[in-house]
Amino acid sequence: GRGGGAAAPLPRLAEASAWVARVNFGEVASDEAWASAPAWIVRSLLEDDGLHASEEEVYRAGVAWVKARDPPLSETEVAELLARVRFALLPPALLREVKAEPLLDTRAGNRMLLEAPGSYMNSKPPRTRSGMMKLYVVGGRGGRDGKSRLCSAEVFGLGGAWEKLPAMATGRASTVAVTVDGKLYAVGGYGSGGPAGGPAPGL
């Protein structure tokens, strides 16, 4: 009947809603409605590997949600929820703040921090969140004969689309690229005149 037909799109709607929350986590967590979000949604987002957020945003969102609870959560419940934060991925300066956070300065909180991936007692590295990863394409070959070298650069980023980056000053193919401190470096490869050695200017 009519009611049965409406049930089919619900899983897709839930999946689409989860995707929107993952991609726009910063806005979701800063909205006043975050404080009243159901616990299962908060847990699901904080542990999501595809979350488009820095680990600092994840930590601050978790702490803000916990602080909004009335009645307050028990220390065990707080530690269980915040265990979804990848503490080893936080900036070192923020770790001092974490250690001073009263919510975590409990027996359960201290145990959770000591046993978190990447901690002193757990050498297993924490999983990175793929939502923060970007794919870069730098240079390459072009033209009808495939012999010309491209100086273009593009990134597939958080918006789920390709974006053009500033072009390299010279074209090169078979190069290696790496990001360091927010800058993209293209090294090596082949220019039109043979091997190219140093970092590509212009990136």
Side-chain angles (χ1 to χ4, degrees), residues 5-198:
L10 287 179
R12 286 187 301 218
L13 179 62
E15 187 177 312
S17 298
W19 181 84
V20 169
R22 276 196 305 270
V23 171
N24 301 289
F25 182 74
E27 292 177 43
V28 169
S30 62
D31 191 279
E32 61 184 33
W34 174 252
S36 57
W40 70 269
I41 288 179
V42 174
R43 283 194 297 268
S44 176
L45 284 170
L46 296 188
E47 68 190 9
D48 195 319
D49 287 345
L51 203 62
H52 290 214
S54 70
E55 212 55 41
E56 179 173 355
E57 289 176 298
V58 175
Y59 167 73
R60 294 197 185 283
V63 168
W65 186 85
V66 168
K67 287 183 175 179
R69 306 281 48 81
D70 187 20
L73 299 180
S74 70
E75 67 176 58
T76 303
E77 290 171 322
V78 170
E80 188 272 334
L81 180 92
L82 293 181
R84 291 161 170 77
V85 176
R86 288 95 194 258
F87 288 97
L89 301 180
L90 289 173
L94 183 58
L95 288 175
R96 287 190 287 278
E97 181 182 322
V98 169
K99 291 176 184 174
E101 172 55 56
L103 288 171
L104 293 171
D105 191 17
T106 63
R107 174 177 267 173
N110 286 323
R111 185 183 314 117
M112 181 271 292
L113 289 172
L114 285 172
E115 295 175 354
S119 68
Y120 295 115
M121 294 179 63
N122 184 350
S123 60
K124 179 181 177 185
R127 298 188 315 273
T128 56
R129 297 186 192 269
S130 61
M132 290 300 288
M133 294 183 185
K134 297 179 181 180
L135 176 65
Y136 294 92
V137 175
V138 179
R141 297 173 189 227
R144 291 186 177 205
D145 59 3
K147 292 183 179 178
S148 62
R149 304 297 186 255
L150 303 177
C151 56
S152 59
E154 297 181 47
V155 59
F156 190 84
L158 304 182
W162 286 100
E163 299 172 34
K164 287 191 178 293
L165 296 174
M168 296 182 288
T170 58
R172 54 174 74 190
S174 303
T175 187
V176 174
V178 63
T179 57
V180 179
D181 294 331
K183 294 183 180 180
L184 177 65
Y185 296 89
V187 182
Y190 294 87
S192 56

